[in-house]
Amino acid sequence: MDRKGIVNIINFIRAVDPRDPRIDLIGTVANQIELVNKHNFAATWLLQYDALIMPEYVQMLKAAGPQHEIGAWFETPQPLVEKAGIKWRGRPGFAWDWHTDVGFSVGYTPAEREKMADVFMEEFKAVFGKYPASVGSWFMDAHLIGYLADRYGVCSSCNCRDQIGTDGYTLWGGYWGQAFYPSRKNAYMPAQTAKNQIPVPVFRMLGSDPIYQYSANLGGNGQGVMTLEPVYAGDGGGGDPKWVRWFFDTTYGSPCLTFAYAQAGQENSFGWPGMSKGLTDQIQLLASLSAEGKLTVETLEASSAWFRKHYPVTPASAVTALTDWRGDGRKAVWYNSRFYRTNHFWSTEGFMIRDLHIFDENYTERYLTEICTTHDAAYDTLPICDGFVWSDHEYSAGVRLWLQHADGSRTQLGKVDPKVSEDGQNLRISWKEDDGTSVKIVNKPDTLEITITPADSKAQCYAELSWADGKAEPIKMVKTHNILYTYEHFDYELQCTVGEMSSDLSAHAIRIKPSNHKISLRFRK
């Protein structure tokens, strides 16, 4: 199968936004439609319920053209909640409240979620003559996604990028890019088996910077935003033409294993004046790249149909960034499979595995049957190494590769440029140090292999997982061939099938010694 470059233009629509009542929400959508139609692109428009019941939006979208997809944006504004016979708990004067215990499905019981879904779907069908194929949200619980799929045939979805604390929403450790089939028990967790997955691919929104977004505001409270959203025009982001061109060159010109993906567009809450310059530039660039055959602009429904046709379970994918738009020499490679995700990162200090999370379809999300009672919510997976959460201002957590010399000194490896190549669902990374020491890393769907061959036969090599003081609380025990973890009352392990591990937890480090130069970490039970 030839690899595919996909862009979904997804604009979602609210009828009210109390954060700034001066914004012309209807005029923003009209301008978005005009811009997309100018280039004859297909786009996906996701209506929140309060916009669905406004004739102005419905008439505008019906007149936009048959190439467009109209779907649902499932947040829970006052009209939807009350139509379902549920008491509205939003702040006084707020018909839409972004607090997670009010404005999202997780703030309601599973039965109440189903009632609101029924109201939304029947209203949608009454207006457009059919149920929507696509339902998106910053996040939805697994019960709701499963219900929409099983009862109403919803076949595609989208959710927010990885982030910690932004707007009160934490989504962390998930499939970094592209799309995945979620577990029946956890909407953010890729399933390992077809039996236990919801058959709705969830596409990751907003187009995060693969180098800098992960560590934005490292050591602070929450993260900054460095994404394709056109309202962000500062140091990187969708309103910065230089960054946008780097992002598209990187996304659609680098190894990705299966398909390259990005979501363009903007919610109407930001207003046309704030997004017009950046969005217009992006759409014009997409027109050029599409004409050159470098990518395809299509609806979310079309992308989902292609995904489901080619992949019965979540495939491996990669996001590769081997150039640094800031010119600081940093590089990042993300590898995702249905078993784990990892981030390989290079800087002037050398190489490290900055992030490693394991996926387990049996890890139940917090809100599958329970109600979120706080103004913020969290979705996550299972950390093996968390380079953001386990770091502080003084020390960055990660797995580093070391060359120990005969005199006892050591050198961190990876201060040279790597080569990245694709091999089926495997991603291969290699480089040679200035002294001739070679490093080979192979990411396989269920295994991570590292081979280090020193040029000096007297030198020794090893990998070391280390973290800031007091940060790696999930680690409970280190054995020769596995590390035992407990996170959110869930037990899991990292298996070292080749090599041996030893620990000094008081020094915040676990050392992995190769066997015949090789280390193999396994993520499948």
Short mmCIF file of all heavy atoms in Angstrom, two decimals, residues 235-259:
data_model
loop_
_atom_site.label_atom_id
_atom_site.label_comp_id
_atom_site.label_asym_id
_atom_site.label_seq_id
_atom_site.Cartn_x
_atom_site.Cartn_y
_atom_site.Cartn_z
N ASP A 235 6.05 32.44 18.82
CA ASP A 235 7.26 31.66 18.56
C ASP A 235 6.84 30.26 18.14
O ASP A 235 6.79 29.33 18.93
CB ASP A 235 8.12 31.62 19.82
CG ASP A 235 9.42 30.85 19.58
OD1 ASP A 235 9.84 30.74 18.42
OD2 ASP A 235 10.00 30.36 20.57
N GLY A 236 6.56 30.09 16.86
CA GLY A 236 6.05 28.83 16.35
C GLY A 236 4.54 28.77 16.49
O GLY A 236 3.93 29.45 17.31
N GLY A 237 3.91 27.94 15.67
CA GLY A 237 2.46 27.80 15.71
C GLY A 237 1.84 28.13 14.37
O GLY A 237 2.49 28.63 13.45
N GLY A 238 0.54 27.84 14.26
CA GLY A 238 -0.16 27.90 12.98
C GLY A 238 -0.31 29.26 12.37
O GLY A 238 -0.70 29.38 11.20
N GLY A 239 -0.03 30.34 13.14
CA GLY A 239 -0.06 31.67 12.56
C GLY A 239 1.30 32.18 12.14
O GLY A 239 1.43 33.32 11.68
N ASP A 240 2.32 31.33 12.25
CA ASP A 240 3.69 31.68 11.89
C ASP A 240 4.03 30.99 10.57
O ASP A 240 4.22 29.78 10.53
CB ASP A 240 4.64 31.21 13.00
CG ASP A 240 6.10 31.51 12.71
OD1 ASP A 240 6.44 31.84 11.56
OD2 ASP A 240 6.92 31.40 13.64
N PRO A 241 4.08 31.72 9.44
CA PRO A 241 4.30 31.09 8.14
C PRO A 241 5.56 30.23 8.06
O PRO A 241 5.57 29.17 7.42
CB PRO A 241 4.38 32.28 7.18
CG PRO A 241 3.61 33.36 7.85
CD PRO A 241 3.87 33.18 9.32
N LYS A 242 6.63 30.66 8.73
CA LYS A 242 7.86 29.88 8.72
C LYS A 242 7.64 28.52 9.38
O LYS A 242 8.03 27.48 8.84
CB LYS A 242 8.98 30.63 9.44
CG LYS A 242 10.27 29.83 9.61
CD LYS A 242 11.28 30.57 10.47
CE LYS A 242 12.51 29.70 10.76
NZ LYS A 242 13.48 30.38 11.65
N TRP A 243 7.01 28.54 10.53
CA TRP A 243 6.76 27.29 11.25
C TRP A 243 5.82 26.40 10.46
O TRP A 243 6.02 25.17 10.39
CB TRP A 243 6.17 27.59 12.63
CG TRP A 243 5.94 26.35 13.45
CD1 TRP A 243 6.81 25.77 14.32
CD2 TRP A 243 4.75 25.54 13.47
NE1 TRP A 243 6.24 24.64 14.88
CE2 TRP A 243 4.98 24.47 14.37
CE3 TRP A 243 3.52 25.60 12.80
CZ2 TRP A 243 4.03 23.49 14.64
CZ3 TRP A 243 2.57 24.61 13.06
CH2 TRP A 243 2.83 23.58 13.96
N VAL A 244 4.78 26.98 9.88
CA VAL A 244 3.79 26.19 9.13
C VAL A 244 4.46 25.45 7.98
O VAL A 244 4.20 24.26 7.76
CB VAL A 244 2.66 27.09 8.61
CG1 VAL A 244 1.78 26.35 7.61
CG2 VAL A 244 1.81 27.60 9.79
N ARG A 245 5.34 26.10 7.26
CA ARG A 245 6.02 25.45 6.14
C ARG A 245 6.96 24.34 6.63
O ARG A 245 7.05 23.28 6.01
CB ARG A 245 6.74 26.49 5.29
CG ARG A 245 5.78 27.18 4.32
CD ARG A 245 6.09 28.63 4.03
NE ARG A 245 5.03 29.19 3.19
CZ ARG A 245 3.85 29.61 3.68
NH1 ARG A 245 3.58 29.55 4.97
NH2 ARG A 245 2.93 30.09 2.86
N TRP A 246 7.64 24.61 7.72
CA TRP A 246 8.46 23.55 8.31
C TRP A 246 7.59 22.37 8.74
O TRP A 246 7.94 21.21 8.49
CB TRP A 246 9.23 24.10 9.53
CG TRP A 246 9.91 23.03 10.31
CD1 TRP A 246 11.14 22.49 10.08
CD2 TRP A 246 9.39 22.35 11.47
NE1 TRP A 246 11.42 21.51 11.02
CE2 TRP A 246 10.36 21.42 11.88
CE3 TRP A 246 8.19 22.46 12.19
CZ2 TRP A 246 10.17 20.58 12.99
CZ3 TRP A 246 8.01 21.63 13.29
CH2 TRP A 246 9.00 20.71 13.67
N PHE A 247 6.46 22.65 9.35
CA PHE A 247 5.59 21.59 9.85
C PHE A 247 5.09 20.72 8.71
O PHE A 247 5.13 19.48 8.80
CB PHE A 247 4.40 22.19 10.60
CG PHE A 247 3.43 21.16 11.12
CD1 PHE A 247 3.66 20.53 12.33
CD2 PHE A 247 2.29 20.84 10.40
CE1 PHE A 247 2.76 19.57 12.81
CE2 PHE A 247 1.40 19.88 10.86
CZ PHE A 247 1.63 19.25 12.07
N PHE A 248 4.64 21.32 7.61
CA PHE A 248 4.14 20.52 6.50
C PHE A 248 5.27 19.78 5.78
O PHE A 248 5.10 18.62 5.38
CB PHE A 248 3.34 21.39 5.53
CG PHE A 248 1.93 21.66 5.98
CD1 PHE A 248 1.54 22.93 6.36
CD2 PHE A 248 1.00 20.64 6.04
CE1 PHE A 248 0.25 23.18 6.79
CE2 PHE A 248 -0.31 20.88 6.47
CZ PHE A 248 -0.68 22.15 6.85
N ASP A 249 6.42 20.42 5.62
CA ASP A 249 7.57 19.73 5.02
C ASP A 249 7.96 18.53 5.86
O ASP A 249 8.26 17.44 5.33
CB ASP A 249 8.76 20.69 4.89
CG ASP A 249 8.58 21.71 3.79
OD1 ASP A 249 7.68 21.52 2.95
OD2 ASP A 249 9.33 22.70 3.78
N THR A 250 7.98 18.70 7.18
CA THR A 250 8.35 17.62 8.09
C THR A 250 7.31 16.52 8.09
O THR A 250 7.63 15.33 7.99
CB THR A 250 8.53 18.18 9.52
OG1 THR A 250 9.63 19.09 9.53
CG2 THR A 250 8.79 17.06 10.52
N THR A 251 6.05 16.89 8.21
CA THR A 251 4.98 15.90 8.32
C THR A 251 4.83 15.07 7.06
O THR A 251 4.67 13.85 7.13
CB THR A 251 3.65 16.60 8.65
OG1 THR A 251 3.79 17.34 9.87
CG2 THR A 251 2.52 15.60 8.79
N TYR A 252 4.91 15.71 5.90
CA TYR A 252 4.60 15.01 4.65
C TYR A 252 5.83 14.65 3.83
O TYR A 252 5.70 14.11 2.74
CB TYR A 252 3.61 15.84 3.83
CG TYR A 252 2.31 16.02 4.57
CD1 TYR A 252 2.04 17.17 5.30
CD2 TYR A 252 1.38 14.99 4.61
CE1 TYR A 252 0.86 17.30 6.03
CE2 TYR A 252 0.19 15.11 5.32
CZ TYR A 252 -0.05 16.27 6.04
OH TYR A 252 -1.21 16.40 6.76
N GLY A 253 7.02 14.94 4.37
CA GLY A 253 8.24 14.58 3.64
C GLY A 253 9.17 13.69 4.42
O GLY A 253 10.33 13.52 4.03
N SER A 254 8.70 13.09 5.53
CA SER A 254 9.55 12.28 6.41
C SER A 254 8.91 10.92 6.65
O SER A 254 7.71 10.75 6.46
CB SER A 254 9.77 13.00 7.74
OG SER A 254 10.33 14.29 7.55
N PRO A 255 9.70 9.95 7.11
CA PRO A 255 9.15 8.61 7.37
C PRO A 255 7.97 8.64 8.33
O PRO A 255 8.02 9.28 9.38
CB PRO A 255 10.34 7.87 7.98
CG PRO A 255 11.54 8.54 7.40
CD PRO A 255 11.17 9.98 7.30
N CYS A 256 6.89 7.95 7.96
CA CYS A 256 5.68 7.90 8.79
C CYS A 256 5.11 6.50 8.91
O CYS A 256 4.12 6.30 9.62
CB CYS A 256 4.62 8.86 8.25
SG CYS A 256 4.03 8.42 6.61
N LEU A 257 5.66 5.52 8.18
CA LEU A 257 5.28 4.11 8.19
C LEU A 257 3.96 3.83 7.49
O LEU A 257 3.89 2.95 6.62
CB LEU A 257 5.21 3.57 9.61
CG LEU A 257 6.52 3.45 10.38
CD1 LEU A 257 6.27 2.93 11.79
CD2 LEU A 257 7.49 2.51 9.66
N THR A 258 2.89 4.52 7.86
CA THR A 258 1.59 4.19 7.30
C THR A 258 0.96 5.37 6.56
O THR A 258 0.72 5.31 5.37
CB THR A 258 0.64 3.72 8.41
OG1 THR A 258 0.74 4.61 9.53
CG2 THR A 258 0.99 2.32 8.87
N PHE A 259 0.70 6.45 7.27
CA PHE A 259 0.18 7.65 6.62
C PHE A 259 0.55 8.85 7.47
O PHE A 259 0.74 8.75 8.68
CB PHE A 259 -1.34 7.57 6.40
CG PHE A 259 -2.16 7.63 7.65
CD1 PHE A 259 -2.83 8.79 8.01
CD2 PHE A 259 -2.31 6.51 8.46
CE1 PHE A 259 -3.61 8.84 9.17
CE2 PHE A 259 -3.09 6.54 9.61
CZ PHE A 259 -3.74 7.71 9.96
#
